[in-house]
Amino acid sequence: MAESETSRRASKKLIRIDISSDNVCPWCYVGKINLDKAIAASKDQFHFEIHWHPFFLEPSAPKEGVNKRDFYKQKFGSQYEQIIGGMAEIYRGLGLDYNMDGLTGNTLDSHRLILFAGQQGLNKQHELVELILDGYMTKGKYIGDWEFLIECAKKVELKGAAEFLKNPNNGLKEVNEDFQKYSAHLGGVPYYVINGQHKFSGGLSLDGWLGAFQVAAKIIWITRNGQVFGHEPLSPFGSIRLYEYELVLAIPAEKERNDNRKELDNNVFLDDGEDCLQVVTQILNSIPVCNTLPYLEPLRKTFKAW
């Protein structure tokens, strides 16, 4: 059993995600929630390695904390109600209550603890980030409260957290170095780098993450109507190697075929091979490859058979 699991794990493609984030950033939590859903949907296809890196939206924020509502009213001015109301609506869509109670302030100690957790395992770090973001965003916890941070650390069985936090110099060098390496050039977060080259920003949706995995893994699943998938929901018809990419022409499952028939009247479902070729060519031109022209003839032959 162990050998079988090891072999299966080794056969998966590695998706490494470097995430620059701040723990008072509501979009960072939105992105993480959707990332976790995408990972759950793709865990049989990929092996994931998640690294969290510090960013400071408010580097001069006081460590003692200030009233969260007052702080953001001053920051957003007349747009406060619109911005906070919009964010609350987004969180409701995720089944969460966006909480503006409590304090906000400096996030340095939370970043120190997150990097410390990474030394004891990336999964532990990822779980800790979840608890910290959830506590601040939905439960009115203060990001700079050591009791809150230590409570989160205990829940993920992080060893030595209290002793680590007591010395303000612990982890300070590591946070500064990590910030300079991954986040200093950024104007905002969340920011993601997948497998060292594919870069995204903002609170990606579930479909956005699945598409990002697909591009990073360099496998493109496509149906006749030009739909692109980040997972494997279909039966393969054939595939074409395109530089380091593999373009897989897919036959929709029966349910999808039935659903797509409803779209025929709107000319959404492209049933003509030449039209399909145009759609695929547009998609290929949107990915970072040199030139699709040498591949048009094999694509044409494949679509003719399709």
Side-chain angles (χ1 to χ4, degrees), residues 127-184:
E127 292 170 3
L128 179 65
V129 170
E130 169 68 26
L131 292 174
I132 290 175
L133 287 173
D134 181 66
Y136 177 80
M137 301 297 170
T138 73
K139 296 179 174 62
K141 300 290 187 178
Y142 172 45
I143 203 70
D145 180 4
W146 282 9
E147 289 187 7
F148 164 59
L149 295 176
I150 292 170
E151 176 188 348
C152 293
K154 287 180 179 178
K155 289 180 179 179
V156 301
E157 300 181 353
L158 183 62
K159 299 177 181 178
E163 293 75 11
F164 175 83
L165 282 176
K166 284 179 182 177
N167 185 341
N169 293 318
N170 283 342
L172 187 60
K173 177 183 176 183
E174 289 78 3
V175 167
N176 288 333
E177 288 177 349
D178 203 73
F179 171 76
Q180 290 299 324
K181 182 177 181 179
Y182 291 98
S183 309

Side-chain angles (χ1 to χ4, degrees), residues 121-302:
L122 294 178
N123 288 341
K124 191 166 291 190
Q125 182 187 63
H126 194 68
E127 292 170 3
L128 179 65
V129 170
E130 169 68 26
L131 292 174
I132 290 175
L133 287 173
D134 181 66
Y136 177 80
M137 301 297 170
T138 73
K139 296 179 174 62
K141 300 290 187 178
Y142 172 45
I143 203 70
D145 180 4
W146 282 9
E147 289 187 7
F148 164 59
L149 295 176
I150 292 170
E151 176 188 348
C152 293
K154 287 180 179 178
K155 289 180 179 179
V156 301
E157 300 181 353
L158 183 62
K159 299 177 181 178
E163 293 75 11
F164 175 83
L165 282 176
K166 284 179 182 177
N167 185 341
N169 293 318
N170 283 342
L172 187 60
K173 177 183 176 183
E174 289 78 3
V175 167
N176 288 333
E177 288 177 349
D178 203 73
F179 171 76
Q180 290 299 324
K181 182 177 181 179
Y182 291 98
S183 309
H185 65 290
L186 301 177
V189 289
Y191 185 80
Y192 317 100
V193 180
I194 303 182
N195 284 353
Q197 61 180 123
H198 305 283
K199 300 173 183 179
F200 306 88
S201 61
L204 285 182
S205 65
L206 172 58
D207 287 341
W209 276 117
L210 292 174
F213 296 165
Q214 155 201 292
V215 173
K218 298 175 182 176
I219 298 178
I220 299 177
W221 289 82
I222 182 170
T223 62
R224 287 184 182 180
N225 64 340
Q227 285 184 290
V228 178
F229 292 84
H231 49 97
E232 186 177 335
L234 312 162
S235 302
F237 175 82
S239 65
I240 297 172
R241 176 64 58 179
L242 182 72
Y243 294 95
E244 73 271 33
Y245 288 82
E246 182 181 4
L247 175 68
V248 182
L249 307 178
I251 301 173
E254 186 63 36
K255 180 180 184 302
E256 185 181 330
R257 284 201 295 270
N258 291 336
D259 291 343
N260 281 330
R261 286 196 188 102
K262 301 174 185 177
E263 300 176 353
L264 285 173
D265 292 339
N266 298 324
N267 296 319
V268 174
F269 190 86
L270 303 176
D271 204 30
D272 179 79
E274 197 65 31
D275 288 339
C276 289
L277 179 62
Q278 293 178 16
V279 172
V280 175
T281 302
Q282 291 174 3
I283 292 171
L284 297 181
N285 285 334
S286 71
I287 61 177
V289 296
C290 302
N291 184 4
T292 62
L293 289 178
Y295 297 87
L296 292 185
E297 189 54 35
L299 276 172
R300 194 182 303 276
K301 290 180 180 178
T302 301

Side-chain angles (χ1 to χ4, degrees), residues 77-102:
S78 61
Q79 293 184 303
Y80 170 83
E81 295 294 342
Q82 179 182 353
I83 292 173
I84 300 302
M87 188 55 62
E89 186 65 27
I90 290 169
Y91 271 63
R92 277 193 292 273
L94 296 170
L96 299 171
D97 292 324
Y98 185 55
N99 193 319
M100 287 297 291
D101 294 337

